[in-house]
Amino acid sequence: MNPLTKPIFIVGAPRSGTTLLQYMLRSHPNICFPTGESHFIIPLYRNVKIFGDLKKSENIRRVLEAMYQQSSDFLDTDLHGIKFDINKLTEHLMDEGKNNSMAEIISTLFEKNAIAEGKLRWGDKTPYYLLHMEKLLNMFPSAQFIHIIRDGRDCALSMFERKHDFRVYNTFFAAKYWEIYVECGRRIGKGFGDKIYHEVHYEDLLDAPESKIKEICAFLNEPYSDNILNY
């Protein structure tokens, strides 16, 4: 199987250490992670019907324009292999002659970025995708998910530091926020099995980084690299 068709999604409750793991794994010689959060995959998936026939160049362009409208900062600054160019991407997708789907348009963007960085696999770190892992697996059948879990008390304190972003203003709602994410991730992940879904605790990653990263690499079927610890 082509490694480019096996995306890796880092998910978890907000303020759980997803960014730490993102930066560690993007240091692996085979794995490409943009440095921000995409946010556009699920909205595009939900609204696929409004774009019409994705074999047509004008509709592919509309998808890419909607993608940019949703996440311009990410597309302008967090893809380190390519420049997001709607015209060139539209031409590329048409030239490939494939039966374009929403998943194919999205994966082509990440794949081109990975190839430009000299990497074999692409990943995405957008915490709330945890709530939509089933949709993502439907789009990308070979995907793998890493769910990072942090002590709920520390998560709550960290959320309060950005309370206006998360609209979390008291301990009850912070705890409920964390509980919804953790329970949802575990419920969906249990149905996926241990080849597709893997949990790692943030505190364990801090206390024993080498052993935890080796565990994650084994899950991903990727060789361990010291580059990850020296990110």
Side-chain angles (χ1 to χ4, degrees):
M1 179 182 291
N2 182 352
L4 283 170
T5 65
K6 296 180 64 179
I8 304 160
F9 292 97
I10 297 173
V11 294
R15 315 303 290 170
S16 289
T18 54
T19 301
L20 171 65
L21 186 56
Q22 171 193 37
Y23 273 80
M24 294 177 86
L25 289 184
R26 79 181 304 271
S27 299
H28 190 288
N30 293 344
I31 300 172
C32 172
F33 268 93
T35 48
E37 300 175 3
S38 67
H39 290 281
F40 56 73
I41 297 179
I42 296 303
L44 290 177
Y45 174 87
R46 284 175 171 160
N47 296 304
V48 63
K49 290 182 180 179
I50 71 172
F51 296 103
D53 184 359
L54 296 180
K55 296 177 186 176
K56 297 181 178 179
S57 62
E58 61 267 29
N59 292 336
I60 294 173
R61 177 181 293 276
R62 288 175 61 219
V63 170
L64 296 173
E65 288 171 348
M67 186 185 293
Y68 189 76
Q69 185 176 13
Q70 168 83 37
S71 304
S72 58
D73 287 347
F74 172 83
L75 295 169
D76 283 339
T77 65
D78 294 314
L79 299 176
H80 299 281
I82 63 169
K83 183 182 186 320
F84 184 77
D85 186 313
I86 290 175
N87 292 330
K88 288 183 178 179
L89 283 168
T90 301
E91 290 175 9
H92 175 77
L93 284 157
M94 290 301 296
D95 290 344
E96 288 291 295
K98 297 177 182 178
N99 183 19
N100 288 324
S101 65
M102 186 61 74
E104 191 165 37
I105 292 171
I106 292 168
S107 63
T108 295
L109 171 69
F110 284 99
E111 287 171 13
K112 283 178 68 65
N113 187 60
I115 291 169
E117 286 194 17
K119 303 292 186 79
L120 300 176
R121 294 179 73 175
W122 64 270
D124 179 272
K125 185 277 291 187
T126 304
Y128 90 90
Y129 287 169
L130 175 141
L131 305 175
H132 305 280
M133 291 191 294
E134 291 162 319
K135 297 182 184 73
L136 290 171
L137 192 62
N138 184 54
M139 294 179 77
F140 310 106
S142 300
Q144 291 180 288
F145 300 87
I146 303 172
H147 178 191
I148 185 162
I149 300 172
R150 185 180 185 183
D151 186 294
R153 294 162 295 185
D154 289 329
C155 257
L157 291 173
S158 189
M159 283 186 210
F160 291 149
E161 292 175 3
R162 291 178 53 188
K163 59 187 177 183
H164 298 301
D165 291 340
F166 301 113
R167 298 180 181 179
V168 171
Y169 299 102
N170 61 56
T171 304
F172 173 81
F173 282 104
K176 196 64 182 174
Y177 209 127
W178 179 86
E179 180 185 47
I180 289 169
Y181 269 79
V182 172
E183 290 188 353
C184 180
R186 286 179 161 168
R187 174 179 54 79
I188 297 172
K190 184 177 180 181
F192 286 168
D194 59 10
K195 301 290 186 186
I196 296 174
Y197 171 86
H198 183 76
E199 284 182 10
V200 60
H201 286 265
Y202 174 74
E203 293 77 15
D204 293 341
L205 190 59
L206 295 182
D207 291 342
E210 185 173 342
S211 66
K212 285 293 129 184
I213 289 298
K214 285 180 176 178
E215 185 180 288
I216 291 170
C217 287
F219 162 69
L220 297 174
N221 198 28
E222 295 289 346
Y224 170 75
S225 170
D226 285 331
N227 289 354
I228 302 172
L229 298 184
N230 298 320
Y231 72 97

